Amino acid sequence: MADQPAAPRRRGAARTDELLQTTLDLAAEVGYAGLNIEAVARRAGVGKHTIYRRWPSMSALLLDALSRVWTTDLDYRDTGDVRADLREQFLRSGPALSGPPVGPVYRGLIAEAQSDPALRATLHERFLLTVERRTLERITRAQHTGELVENANLEFAAEVLCGTLYYRHLLSTRVVDEGTIDQLLDMFMAAYGTAGRASGPAV
């Protein structure tokens, strides 16, 4: 008897996952401009009310759908070599950020957010800050193990590392290839790395 109430919640979670995946599949086919609640409902074979019970708007649905795939690409490995771990993650996350379904839909949301302060704040909290925090966590661990200089405030460094790649991926036509990532990491390690440094924090 005690286990019976859990069954509807499992069904609800399964339906939510199905709708998120349907949204991603449709986004890959039609892009941001072709997405709306009606189209997702038709593809999923449900009524619009099924979607609106879970998400108040198309933007909210898209944010959850993107989070479903994008956040897994933000995870860092920890091999004990911070430069190698940053490089591996940047190379792995780049295609996810620039290609479908994440890239086109995310760019569409960014455009919409310019006239929607609430959406802009949500994008910042759920995506940009998440990227920066996970990067900060990885480089802070490297600071604690002596790979990076002591007492340096790494928050700005994390913002610069992520912001550079986001700018290129989302707002410019410049490529983000291995050479670009290597140059960025060389600058970072020259400023904050301890290898070859006599003493003292980065200026």
Side-chain angles (χ1 to χ4, degrees), residues 3 37 53 55 77 87 92 106 123 133 146 157-158 173 181:
D3 293 333
I37 295 292
R53 278 203 304 267
W55 298 280
R77 297 177 183 174
R87 188 178 193 274
R92 173 165 41 88
Y106 190 33
L123 274 173
R133 285 167 183 159
T173 58
I181 291 171

Side-chain angles (χ1 to χ4, degrees), residues 24-58:
L24 290 171
D25 293 343
L26 191 59
E29 294 177 19
V30 304
Y32 180 80
L35 287 172
N36 53 63
I37 295 292
E38 290 76 10
V40 174
R42 283 196 303 271
R43 174 63 65 88
V46 300
K48 290 188 294 183
H49 65 279
T50 300
I51 297 177
Y52 280 117
R53 278 203 304 267
R54 292 167 170 81
W55 298 280
S57 66
M58 190 66 225

Side-chain angles (χ1 to χ4, degrees), residues 23-200:
T23 302
L24 290 171
D25 293 343
L26 191 59
E29 294 177 19
V30 304
Y32 180 80
L35 287 172
N36 53 63
I37 295 292
E38 290 76 10
V40 174
R42 283 196 303 271
R43 174 63 65 88
V46 300
K48 290 188 294 183
H49 65 279
T50 300
I51 297 177
Y52 280 117
R53 278 203 304 267
R54 292 167 170 81
W55 298 280
S57 66
M58 190 66 225
S59 295
L61 171 56
L62 284 171
L63 285 170
D64 277 356
L66 291 179
S67 293
R68 191 172 190 265
V69 294
W70 177 231
T71 53
T72 60
D73 290 304
L74 301 179
D75 293 333
Y76 282 92
R77 297 177 183 174
D78 192 342
T79 64
D81 183 339
V82 66
R83 189 189 188 284
D85 293 341
L86 290 169
R87 188 178 193 274
E88 187 278 332
Q89 195 271 356
F90 290 162
L91 288 172
R92 173 165 41 88
S93 63
L97 178 62
S98 58
V102 173
V105 173
Y106 190 33
R107 283 191 288 271
L109 282 170
I110 288 174
E112 185 175 337
Q114 303 315 298
S115 58
D116 186 338
L119 177 58
R120 185 176 181 179
T122 302
L123 274 173
H124 181 247
E125 178 65 31
R126 293 186 59 180
F127 283 88
L128 297 179
L129 280 185
T130 299
V131 174
E132 290 174 16
R133 285 167 183 159
R134 294 194 183 186
T135 302
L136 179 60
E137 288 170 1
R138 180 62 191 91
I139 62 179
T140 298
R141 290 198 300 272
Q143 189 179 52
H144 291 161
T145 59
E147 284 190 274
L148 304 180
V149 293
E150 293 182 279
N151 303 322
N153 186 334
L154 297 177
E155 290 186 11
F156 184 69
E159 182 180 352
V160 170
L161 284 170
C162 300
T164 300
L165 298 179
Y166 265 63
Y167 172 80
R168 285 211 170 197
H169 276 304
L170 298 172
L171 298 173
S172 83
T173 58
R174 297 187 181 99
V175 298
V176 180
D177 55 16
E178 292 190 37
T180 301
I181 291 171
D182 284 335
Q183 289 183 64
L184 177 62
L185 293 177
D186 286 345
M187 291 174 60
F188 170 72
M189 295 304 295
Y192 295 98
T194 55
R197 186 185 298 269
S199 62

